[in-house]
Amino acid sequence: MHDNEAVALLRATTLLKELDEEDLLRLASRAVTRRFLRGQVVFTEGEPGDTLLVVATGRLKVLTKVLTKVLTKADDGRDHVLNIAGPRETVGELNIVEAGTRSASVEALEPTTALVLDRTAVWELVRERPAVAEQLIRALVAHVRRLTGANADLVFLDLPRRVAKLLLRMREAGRPVIELGLTQTEIASLLGGSRQSVNQALREFERRTWILSEGQTITILQVDRLRGFAGD
């Protein structure tokens, strides 16, 4: 990826959008482009990490293991999907603030290109220009607020409305066709529900002619109705 393309991508992120052109160019010159195949593990929960990923194309799935506490204290091996990161979104923000172990695993949902930015490059810039730290803190606060909003949805919205919000969020640049890249079980894990409830919600949206569902491809036919139902 050329520096000017990398700068445009970094500028489009919530995390780095407030940096000026010179700062973005400096970070872009230090970034490395990585490409991942569908299903490829990007990094694993618990391994050391000190890099930030910025998705250029494709999508990454962020997940963690679910430990089921039973008498044997065995791990049932299930994965819980925490987030789906698409173009212009970032993964690994906490490892930029503090180097340590990865709090979750990341896999490519589809062929994906990402910029990999080393923590050292960011902190060299922070030490030279302390104002950059304030900008990064504001961006991280905004990120935490988004996570808080997602948690609030789990409390205050029923599952069908959470499914509707997910479809709307995955709808890119006004395109009505969504390639989910997720099974209904993974969607249920992401939204805190059951596979059967996700299936019922999608069937009901289809019955109302709001969507057309064909496998993992969803076509949104009535976006305003879906948005009104989700409360957006």
Side-chain angles (χ1 to χ4, degrees):
M1 186 180 300
H2 297 298
D3 282 354
N4 59 337
E5 295 174 310
V7 166
L9 177 60
L10 296 177
R11 187 189 298 114
T13 67
T14 301
L15 186 64
L16 302 169
K17 67 181 181 180
E18 294 190 26
L19 301 185
D20 61 30
E21 192 76 10
E22 181 182 350
D23 295 334
L24 290 172
L25 183 58
R26 179 171 172 177
L27 291 177
S29 68
R30 300 280 296 274
V32 177
T33 303
R34 291 282 310 277
R35 292 176 176 82
F36 305 99
L37 301 175
R38 178 177 179 173
Q40 183 175 348
V41 175
V42 179
F43 51 74
T44 304
E45 183 177 355
E47 73 180 25
D50 60 357
T51 55
L52 174 78
L53 273 68
V54 183
V55 180
T57 62
R59 289 180 297 165
L60 298 176
K61 175 173 66 175
V62 183
L63 53 107
T64 187
K65 285 288 184 183
V66 177
L67 298 178
T68 303
K69 299 297 184 181
V70 294
L71 292 178
T72 60
K73 301 190 183 300
D75 177 3
D76 67 4
R78 290 183 299 142
D79 290 328
H80 176 63
V81 181
L82 299 175
N83 188 32
I84 304 297
R88 301 173 299 281
E89 294 183 313
T90 55
V91 174
E93 298 89 350
L94 293 180
N95 292 99
I96 287 293
V97 176
E98 182 180 20
T101 58
R102 297 291 188 184
S103 59
S105 299
V106 173
E107 297 177 7
L109 263 178
E110 57 197 44
T112 299
T113 301
L115 279 182
V116 180
L117 192 59
D118 191 90
R119 179 176 183 270
T120 302
V122 177
W123 282 95
E124 284 178 2
L125 189 60
V126 167
R127 291 187 186 98
E128 292 180 17
R129 298 187 54 191
V132 172
E134 181 180 349
Q135 293 168 342
L136 291 175
I137 289 170
R138 285 202 299 269
L140 287 171
V141 168
H143 179 68
V144 171
R145 284 176 176 162
R146 287 195 302 275
L147 292 177
T148 302
N151 287 335
D153 286 347
L154 289 175
V155 175
F156 296 110
L157 296 182
D158 58 26
L159 187 92
R161 285 174 171 77
R162 298 202 297 274
V163 173
K165 289 193 74 168
L166 176 66
L167 294 179
L168 291 168
R169 182 165 63 88
M170 297 179 77
R171 180 174 174 265
E172 295 181 14
R175 295 171 55 192
V177 179
I178 302 168
E179 293 294 340
L180 291 176
L182 296 169
T183 66
Q184 290 187 3
T185 299
E186 289 174 318
I187 294 173
S189 172
L190 178 62
L191 298 179
S194 67
R195 186 196 65 78
Q196 292 83 357
S197 296
V198 169
N199 182 267
Q200 289 172 5
L202 292 173
R203 286 180 179 275
E204 178 62 17
F205 297 163
E206 195 162 24
R207 187 190 69 78
R208 298 186 186 189
T209 69
W210 295 352
I211 67 169
L212 176 63
S213 177
E214 299 175 291
Q216 292 189 3
T217 300
I218 303 288
T219 303
I220 297 181
L221 303 175
Q222 299 191 57
V223 65
D224 291 338
R225 292 289 183 90
L226 196 64
R227 185 177 291 121
F229 177 77
D232 277 8

